[in-house]
Amino acid sequence: MTDRPDNMDARRGALVLFSGGQDSTTCLAWALSRFERVETIGFDYGQRHLVELTVRPSVLDGIRAVSPEWNRRLGEDHLLNLPVVAEISDTALTGEVEIAMLANGLPNTFVPGRNLLFLTVAAMLAYRRGLTVLVGGMCETDFSGYPDCRNDTIRAMQQALSLGMATDIRLETPLMWLDKAQTWQLAQELGGEQLVELIRLETHTCYLGERHLHDWGRGCGHCPACELRANGYRRFVGN
Ligand code: ZN
């Protein structure tokens, strides 16, 4: 990752895995500051809370308002249905297992390897759209428990996708080594106070789908995702 992209970089088009959360919104800003053409992809896979999907359009509107250049560069948003993820999680739960929250803050309906599927589908769409860079908010620092978000996995996926599609596909994960405070800091550097406020007020991260407003943004305030976000924000603003 370089701060100043060369011309080759700028000419490449990027597809951002965009869920409407803090991380993927920061990744979108990162992509818009580097690439001439940027599109977004999101997945409806039977999430427990549709709020994640419903905030996407307002976050995209807000991103366009940050700079005329970003507005010009930001192209189509693609929302794809992947009901197979919910099918697999239902199948796994048939019988004796009850839906419960695990210690890592995820419901036990979570399907391991989900990101591998998302990256594959994103690469398929990118190919059709003539985009050669995939950008995702995968991060080892906060969620080391998710093996499909680790850097080794991402590097292996980049190789597999490039080989399997006989094209040069690059996977960029600008948040891979950042903690949550540094993610806020990156947003500040990319889009100033306006982007920080957009992320604070509009993006959604809470596992329970709640939208109460706190100083760090909206959420229930006590699920692991809210705690992580709140702690990061407080370190960012220096409290
Ligand atoms: Zn929450």
Side-chain angles (χ1 to χ4, degrees):
M1 175 176 137
T2 52
D3 284 328
R4 239 167 221 297
D6 56 29
N7 290 335
M8 268 299 283
D9 250 15
R11 279 201 303 273
R12 296 178 80 131
L15 180 65
V16 179
L17 284 85
F18 176 66
S19 71
Q22 175 185 0
D23 290 348
S24 65
T25 301
T26 307
C27 285
L28 177 55
W30 182 88
L32 287 167
S33 69
R34 273 165 180 73
F35 303 104
E36 270 301 308
R37 188 158 66 95
V38 177
E39 299 186 7
T40 47
I41 183 172
F43 302 105
D44 184 346
Y45 55 92
Q47 290 94 323
R48 294 203 311 161
H49 307 290
L50 281 174
V51 57
E52 233 185 80
L53 296 177
T54 56
V55 302
R56 296 172 88 255
S58 56
V59 176
L60 289 173
D61 285 347
I63 280 272
R64 287 182 184 285
V66 171
S67 102
E69 188 174 58
W70 288 8
N71 182 41
R72 179 175 57 76
R73 290 177 168 184
L74 183 55
E76 255 183 78
D77 178 38
H78 311 269
L79 187 60
L80 302 184
N81 293 306
L82 283 181
V84 66
V85 175
E87 269 178 56
I88 292 168
S89 81
D90 287 348
T91 306
L93 284 176
T94 302
E96 54 272 42
V97 187
E98 282 185 17
I99 293 177
M101 294 295 273
L102 304 175
N104 62 7
L106 289 171
N108 60 353
T109 53
F110 178 76
V111 180
R114 202 181 61 182
N115 271 314
L116 305 180
L117 177 66
F118 291 169
L119 285 167
T120 303
V121 173
M124 292 163 70
L125 181 80
Y127 187 97
R128 300 289 294 183
R129 303 290 301 167
L131 306 166
T132 56
V133 181
L134 298 181
V135 183
M138 296 82 182
C139 171
E140 272 205 19
T141 315
D142 289 323
F143 285 107
S144 52
Y146 308 164
D148 58 351
C149 290
R150 291 181 191 151
N151 196 50
D152 284 351
T153 308
I154 299 300
R155 300 278 65 86
M157 276 304 279
Q158 173 174 287
Q159 192 179 11
L161 292 170
S162 294
L163 287 171
M165 301 174 81
T167 188
D168 170 29
I169 293 180
R170 209 166 82 208
L171 267 56
E172 292 280 5
T173 53
L175 311 185
M176 183 58 76
W177 309 110
L178 304 186
D179 64 23
K180 277 283 177 284
Q182 291 169 318
T183 300
W184 284 107
Q185 185 61 41
L186 178 60
Q188 171 95 53
E189 287 160 17
L190 292 167
E193 203 52 37
Q194 189 174 349
L195 181 61
V196 170
E197 279 302 279
L198 173 71
I199 289 171
R200 197 174 73 83
L201 296 173
E202 297 291 338
T203 65
H204 186 86
T205 312
C206 175
Y207 286 142
L208 302 183
E210 294 185 13
R211 298 283 286 160
H212 308 296
L213 184 60
H214 307 262
D215 58 342
W216 45 266
R218 296 184 190 278
C220 71
H222 45 76
C223 78
C226 282
E227 280 178 5
L228 194 62
R229 180 165 163 158
N231 289 340
Y233 185 77
R234 292 198 178 113
R235 275 183 290 124
F236 166 61
V237 296
N239 290 326

